[in-house]
Amino acid sequence: MATPSGLIRALHRGTLGQNMVVDRIFSGIQPTGTPHLGNYLGAIQNWVNLQEEYSSVLYSIMDMHSLTMPKEPAVLRQNILDTTAAILACGIDPKKCFLFRQSLVPEHAELAWILGCLTNVPRLLRLPQWKMKRASQNSEGTVGLLTYPVLQAADILLYKSTHVPVGEDQVLHLELAQDIAQHFNKKYGEFFPVPKAILSTTKKIKSLRDPAVKMSKSDPQKLATVNIADSPDEIVLKFRKAVTDFTSEVTYDPAARPGVSNLVSIHAAVTGLSMKEVLHQATGLDTAHYKMVVAESVIQKFAPIRNEIKKLQEDKSHLIKILEDGAEKAKELAAPIYQEIRRLVGFQ
């Protein structure tokens, strides 16, 4: 039986009547090129599952956010395409979600200005990301770096999103979005749903060279980060060089044995097995042999993804069209919401 077009429009707007709100997922990823193992296990894998569970899902390539750290234009353009190819290869389906580039929907920036006028500066200065990233900019920091959490709030609220998949390090930013939504509602009347967090169940993936910090694309140690497009030889080398300790037995104890515990977390996440099952499989193995077991599991997981990335990267026009089509759908969804925001604040 066909769904009535009016119901489809109501679903897109986020309302099925005055008091009923549709559950809507919003999340985004910065275009840093091909994602790494931590991105995949902590976010993208969850995105693939969520697009099957929810009827209204938006995923954005956050190119505006990427400007908070200096980028050469040509590098940014290529990173946008490479990130898009990678998440498509991982299983994101444009038929089941809106996949789009943030800067193609100007309402993100316009709403960020409105919300910024409701946000106090001391609150932004307290956010740990400001303190950490400012250090990488010679302790100066830019206005964009300070205010990008407000743009994140606009990203979420523009679509009346109800749920946001986040990692532990983004919880404070979501709390800011929640507070901004409540502040707006108090000032202008109930309008925004207060978005809820969907926390990743995957343990945070750590650097292979320093298990005290999370895996990062910007890590200067090339052996610290496994990218999903790495060759089998590269993956084996990185796991062989992974920092562990002088105890040969494989156990899970993040406080006392962070390096080995990180390997166990990765092994469980890529195989879908429980920690208990993974440790049982590792019985009798020393850490040197176990590293190769984990490496092989990662190679098997990423082999089809790596092949698909290569195919998708050969057709740039296809990737661009997917992002443009997704942006048109996102604009259609955002337009009536933003027009109502304009009316509420007195612009029209």
Side-chain angles (χ1 to χ4, degrees), residues 269-287:
V270 298
T271 59
L273 298 173
S274 67
M275 294 286 189
K276 186 176 180 180
E277 290 170 319
V278 163
L279 289 171
H280 178 72
Q281 286 188 2
T283 302
L285 291 177
D286 60 29
T287 52

Side-chain angles (χ1 to χ4, degrees), residues 200-214:
S200 172
T201 56
T202 302
K203 302 291 183 184
K204 188 182 290 185
I205 304 303
K206 306 290 189 176
S207 161
L208 295 184
R209 298 300 298 161
D210 180 4
V213 301
K214 72 174 186 177

Side-chain angles (χ1 to χ4, degrees), residues 243-303:
V243 170
T244 51
D245 52 42
F246 297 108
T247 303
S248 62
E249 185 183 5
V250 177
T251 61
Y252 184 77
D253 185 347
R257 305 188 69 199
V260 174
S261 299
N262 189 39
L263 296 178
V264 173
S265 294
I266 292 170
H267 192 193
V270 298
T271 59
L273 298 173
S274 67
M275 294 286 189
K276 186 176 180 180
E277 290 170 319
V278 163
L279 289 171
H280 178 72
Q281 286 188 2
T283 302
L285 291 177
D286 60 29
T287 52
H289 287 93
Y290 183 62
K291 287 178 182 180
M292 294 302 96
V293 170
V294 180
E296 185 57 35
S297 296
V298 172
I299 289 167
Q300 289 182 14
K301 182 73 173 180
F302 287 156

Side-chain angles (χ1 to χ4, degrees), residues 146-288:
L146 177 64
T147 61
Y148 87 88
V150 180
L151 178 56
Q152 283 184 323
D155 298 331
I156 296 163
L157 299 178
L158 178 60
Y159 303 98
K160 287 192 168 182
S161 308
T162 58
H163 295 79
V164 183
V166 291
E168 294 173 14
D169 56 344
Q170 287 293 322
V171 168
L172 289 177
H173 286 192
L174 181 59
E175 288 177 355
L176 176 67
Q178 293 168 335
D179 290 348
I180 290 174
Q182 290 170 331
H183 189 175
F184 186 98
N185 291 346
K186 186 176 181 180
K187 185 175 177 66
Y188 297 109
E190 288 297 319
F191 183 75
F192 291 122
V194 178
K196 298 175 182 177
I198 300 177
L199 289 171
S200 172
T201 56
T202 302
K203 302 291 183 184
K204 188 182 290 185
I205 304 303
K206 306 290 189 176
S207 161
L208 295 184
R209 298 300 298 161
D210 180 4
V213 301
K214 72 174 186 177
M215 188 173 286
S216 172
K217 191 86 173 180
S218 59
D219 196 314
Q221 298 192 68
K222 298 303 181 187
L223 297 178
T225 302
V226 177
N227 296 308
I228 62 176
D230 279 350
S231 69
D233 287 346
E234 288 171 320
I235 292 171
V236 166
L237 175 62
K238 289 176 180 181
F239 277 99
R240 181 180 292 128
K241 297 291 186 179
V243 170
T244 51
D245 52 42
F246 297 108
T247 303
S248 62
E249 185 183 5
V250 177
T251 61
Y252 184 77
D253 185 347
R257 305 188 69 199
V260 174
S261 299
N262 189 39
L263 296 178
V264 173
S265 294
I266 292 170
H267 192 193
V270 298
T271 59
L273 298 173
S274 67
M275 294 286 189
K276 186 176 180 180
E277 290 170 319
V278 163
L279 289 171
H280 178 72
Q281 286 188 2
T283 302
L285 291 177
D286 60 29
T287 52

Side-chain angles (χ1 to χ4, degrees), residues 30-35 61 74-89 217 228-229 309 312-314 316 319 323:
Q30 286 205 33
T32 56
T34 305
I61 306 295
V75 172
L76 177 56
R77 291 186 197 101
Q78 189 59 49
N79 282 352
I80 289 167
L81 296 178
D82 288 346
T83 301
T84 303
I87 62 176
L88 289 170
K217 191 86 173 180
I228 62 176
I309 289 172
L312 289 165
Q313 286 175 329
E314 291 172 359
K316 290 186 178 181
L319 298 174
L323 294 177

